[in-house]
Amino acid sequence: MMKILIADDHSLVRYGLKLALHNHFKDSQIDESWDGASVKAQFAVHAYDLLLLDLNMPETDSTLLLQWILEFHVNTKVLVVSMNDESIFGKRSLQQGAHGYLEKDSSPEELLKAVTTIMNGKRYASPNLATILINDTLTGKSGNPFDRLTTREFQVAIYLAKDYSVTQISELLQVQYTSVNTFKRRIFKKLNIENKSALVRLADAYNLG
């Protein structure tokens, strides 16, 4: 029996995903979580084969949560299911170790294809995301300026664009205040911008909101 955990803070989304999966994987155990703490609580009780992970849950840093899963639950496959643009967040998620990325407006058939692909030991990317990854590999570069950032810099950039203060980001990521300021300077330099207002405009232009 396959054990699946759906982590999303919207109950209707969890219901829809659960219904689609139950229709195909009839003998599976499907549990639900709504934030990072409830995900860890479920993993303390069960060993899951698959985690469907939303990137935007309250009081949850999804990057840190993904790292925790990959480090401490190595047998769990992770399919990120998100409303965020796959051309940016899909690439990031796969680079960080996720086994697949699926946008929330995908069809139930595409969901089942993604899950089946991952559980067969392969990585899943939509045709559009696969094309982007191939083109980036062939050209050796990306047209997206945010791809220049490291994982930590990208985290900090997202929080800055959402108007979090340096102090708040320091507390959320559990890093020193001075380190966040250092990341901030590197972000501005790599993106060739001078202030947070420019960062917000750039983030909006690339649908990072």
Side-chain angles (χ1 to χ4, degrees):
M1 179 179 66
M2 184 162 64
K3 293 183 179 180
I4 303 171
L5 178 62
I6 298 172
D8 193 291
D9 60 320
H10 294 94
S11 58
L12 282 176
V13 173
R14 296 197 304 270
Y15 176 81
L17 291 171
K18 192 171 186 177
L19 183 63
L21 291 171
H22 257 319
N23 286 339
H24 189 75
F25 304 101
K26 298 185 183 299
D27 295 328
S28 59
Q29 171 188 323
I30 304 179
D31 297 327
E32 301 178 26
S33 293
W34 45 91
D35 59 13
S38 60
V39 168
K40 291 185 177 181
Q42 290 282 31
F43 270 93
V45 180
H46 303 288
Y48 290 101
D49 301 294
L50 176 67
L51 169 65
L52 272 60
L53 177 64
D54 181 25
L55 292 181
N56 299 301
M57 296 186 291
E59 300 181 8
T60 302
D61 186 306
S62 59
T63 299
L64 295 179
L65 182 59
L66 175 59
Q67 292 173 351
W68 180 81
I69 296 294
L70 296 174
E71 182 175 355
F72 295 105
H73 300 276
V74 295
N75 294 321
T76 301
K77 307 291 187 182
V78 180
L79 173 62
V80 174
V81 182
S82 176
M83 62 182 292
N84 292 330
D85 189 340
E86 66 179 0
S87 66
I88 300 173
F89 291 90
K91 288 170 59 178
R92 284 275 171 185
S93 297
L94 292 174
Q95 290 168 352
Q96 291 162 14
H99 300 86
Y101 189 95
L102 186 71
E103 290 189 332
K104 282 186 178 178
D105 61 357
S106 300
S107 66
E109 291 77 17
E110 198 64 25
L111 169 65
L112 297 177
K113 179 182 178 182
V115 171
T116 301
T117 299
I118 289 172
M119 297 314 297
N120 284 334
K122 300 177 182 178
R123 302 262 174 177
Y124 170 81
S126 71
N128 179 58
L129 179 55
T131 298
I132 293 171
L133 294 171
I134 291 170
N135 287 339
D136 285 355
T137 300
L138 291 176
T139 61
K141 60 183 180 180
S142 168
N144 185 336
F146 288 93
D147 284 345
R148 303 169 194 162
L149 306 181
T150 65
T151 297
R152 182 62 89 186
E153 289 166 354
F154 186 72
Q155 284 180 288
V156 173
I158 294 299
Y159 282 125
L160 287 171
K162 293 180 177 179
D163 204 30
Y164 283 73
S165 68
V166 171
T167 299
Q168 289 173 314
I169 297 171
S170 173
E171 293 172 353
L172 283 167
L173 299 182
Q174 298 181 344
V175 297
Q176 294 183 350
Y177 180 94
T178 54
S179 297
V180 176
N181 266 326
T182 299
F183 289 130
K184 182 179 177 181
R185 288 195 298 271
R186 291 177 183 170
I187 291 164
F188 286 3
K189 183 177 181 180
K190 288 184 178 182
L191 298 181
N192 194 28
I193 55 178
E194 295 183 356
N195 52 50
K196 191 161 73 170
S197 295
L199 174 61
V200 171
R201 290 194 297 272
L202 192 62
D204 286 343
Y206 284 90
N207 299 315
L208 296 186

